[in-house]
Structures are given as C-alpha cells and as structure tokens.
Amino acid sequence: MKIIACYSNKGGVGKTAAAVNLAYSFAKGGARVLLCDLDPQGASGFYFRMKPSKKLLDEAFFKDVERFAKAIRGSDFDNLDILPANMTFRDFDVFLSRMKHSRQRLGKSLKAVRDDYDIVILDCPPNISTLAENVFEAADHIVVPVIPTTLSERTFEQLLDFIKDQGDGDKKKIIAFFSMVQKQKTLHAETMARMRETYPKRFISAEVPFSADVERMGTHRAPVASYAQSRPAAKAYDEVYRQLVDCMDGDEK
C-alpha cells in the first residue's frame, strides 16, 4: 500500500481537486483506492456525494480500528472508496498532543486498511501542524499543487524549510506541479520559469490550467474526467497522474 498526500501549507491552490482527480485516475487504472479526507471542511467527501462521517468522532480516528473501517464508504466509481471527514477532525492536533508517539499515529491508523487498498490518497488541511507532521511521516509521496504566484512561491519555500528543519524529513517525497495556470499572465510564466530553475527535482512538467471545468466539480459532484474527459483540465490531471506513477515506479527501481 502506497500513501500519497495531497498537501499544501497554502489554501485555495487546488489541493482537494488534485486529491479527488488523482484518486479517480488511480482507481480507473485498476488500483484499489481509499480517499481519506483529513480536512474538517469535508470537500473531498462532498465531491463524491458523501455526508460527513458520524461514526468516526473525536479520537476514534486514531484509536478505534473498527470504527475507522466502518466509516469507509463505497463511491459511485469502481475501486474507489471514501473516508469522509467531519467537524471533529478540526481538533486532530489536540487529540494528537495527548497521545504517545504523536507523529506516528496517522500511519498506525492507516495500517488497519493496508491489506484492502493499493493506494491511499490523503486530502490534507492547509496548515503546518502536528497533523501535518503525521502526514509527512506516513506518506510515501507528498503531491503539492502550486499556483505560480509570489505568495505561493514563498509558502513552497517555507514548506521545504520546515521539512528540512524536521531533521529526518525527506524533501524527495515532495512532487510539485503548477495549478490554476494562466499562461497569458506574465507573472505566472516568470514564476514558473524561476521555480523550475530553483527546484528542478521537485517539479514535474505536468500543469493544470485554470478552468471552469474544475470549478464545476462542485456542480457535478464528481471528478473532472467523469464529465469532461476530453477537456484540457481532465487531460492535465491525467498527465499529473501518469507522471506521479512514473515517479513512484522510479523509486522502486
């Protein structure tokens, strides 16, 4: 079982859209996939028409294997299950602070389903916290969408510095791609060129354009490729998926 975190310490960058569309792509490719929504806003679950979990409250996510498993629900798509969030997930940092080995608790919870899934996708809330430390510890790869703007460039640098400061952090886990790209904007073109030069090993070449088709995920409540397969945004997410698979295969060689 491989764990892929869709993470950014900046909000509004297309993190949940990436998690939903990558989960769909992996499932369509034949992998058994669990999309685990760690964000109390529950956007990933919403996109798959899931109501917030009522069984996995408070510390149960980290302590109750049976409730964890029962909270998982099937989606409308083959091979793709969802673990929806609820508002108690906003207190994860409080729960984790009370537990021994607090940085390893997320990984221990996910081991409960390691025989059931090939891929676990984590949709993570946008902050650097104890939960984020758990994500960095548990994930095999951390997919980071980056809007090519000055503020996103700054937060990406902060993320790499934070992981470096953790001592045992591994920047090689970071696989970034540019999100919501508008190539007609000079700022986007200049920022992308500069960041690719500064971080040549962290960015894949796939880019997701700014697109109304992605915004319509909230209307269709489904991944882009399920209703706009031939559109540029769906093709872009498919390319992100293919390049991510290449990175994963490269790690195993």
Side-chain angles (χ1 to χ4, degrees):
M1 185 181 81
K2 294 292 185 183
I3 301 173
I4 299 168
C6 290
Y7 175 86
S8 174
N9 46 329
K10 185 179 185 307
V13 300
K15 170 184 56 61
T16 296
V20 167
N21 287 292
L22 285 174
Y24 176 80
S25 294
F26 274 105
K28 195 175 180 182
R32 299 170 299 165
V33 179
L34 173 64
L35 173 57
C36 183
D37 192 351
L38 298 176
D39 191 330
Q41 295 182 54
S44 283
F46 173 82
Y47 281 140
F48 285 101
R49 304 176 184 274
M50 301 285 174
K51 294 181 179 179
S53 168
K54 295 182 180 178
K55 296 180 179 177
L56 205 57
L57 303 177
D58 301 324
E59 297 177 335
F61 186 101
F62 301 105
K63 289 187 171 180
D64 193 326
V65 172
E66 186 175 351
R67 284 193 180 187
F68 184 96
K70 285 185 176 180
I72 295 172
R73 302 169 190 174
S75 75
D76 294 335
F77 305 98
D78 292 340
N79 299 324
L80 178 53
D81 291 343
I82 314 295
L83 181 65
N86 63 62
M87 287 304 292
T88 68
F89 284 22
R90 71 186 190 281
D91 294 324
F92 270 180
D93 277 354
V94 176
F95 304 147
L96 289 167
S97 68
R98 300 170 183 163
M99 299 175 185
K100 294 181 179 178
H101 309 295
S102 61
R103 289 184 60 184
Q104 287 85 41
R105 301 299 301 205
L106 176 63
K108 288 182 178 179
S109 296
L110 294 174
K111 283 183 179 178
V113 297
R114 62 184 172 187
D115 293 332
D116 300 319
Y117 298 101
D118 303 307
I119 300 289
V120 173
I121 304 273
L122 305 176
D123 181 16
C124 309
N127 50 43
I128 292 181
S129 61
T130 305
L131 177 61
E133 292 177 356
N134 271 259
V135 169
F136 302 153
E137 181 81 18
D140 296 291
H141 300 280
I142 303 169
V143 176
V144 184
V146 178
I147 302 176
T149 62
T150 305
L151 194 56
S152 289
E153 185 175 6
R154 177 173 177 271
T155 53
F156 186 71
E157 182 179 348
Q158 289 175 333
L159 172 61
L160 295 181
D161 286 344
F162 178 80
I163 291 177
K164 181 181 179 181
D165 290 344
Q166 294 304 297
D168 56 351
D170 186 356
K171 289 195 293 186
K172 293 180 180 178
K173 290 183 177 182
I174 300 289
I175 299 173
F177 71 91
F178 288 111
S179 172
M180 302 184 189
V181 174
Q182 299 179 70
K183 287 192 171 181
Q184 70 274 23
K185 289 186 175 180
T186 302
L187 173 64
H188 280 207
E190 290 178 348
T191 303
M192 290 167 65
R194 183 170 57 252
M195 292 188 74
R196 287 196 189 284
E197 182 177 359
T198 306
Y199 311 106
K201 295 182 179 179
R202 301 281 70 83
F203 277 87
I204 58 177
S205 62
E207 303 166 1
V208 175
F210 183 86
S211 170
D213 289 322
V214 178
E215 294 179 319
R216 290 192 185 100
M217 285 174 62
T219 303
H220 292 274
R221 297 185 71 175
V224 175
S226 68
Y227 59 86
Q229 186 175 7
S230 62
R231 301 283 292 170
K235 293 180 178 178
Y237 279 120
D238 183 63
E239 187 60 26
V240 173
Y241 158 69
R242 293 180 185 280
Q243 292 187 18
L244 174 58
V245 171
D246 288 344
C247 292
M248 295 167 69
D249 290 344
D251 286 351
E252 293 178 356
K253 293 178 181 177

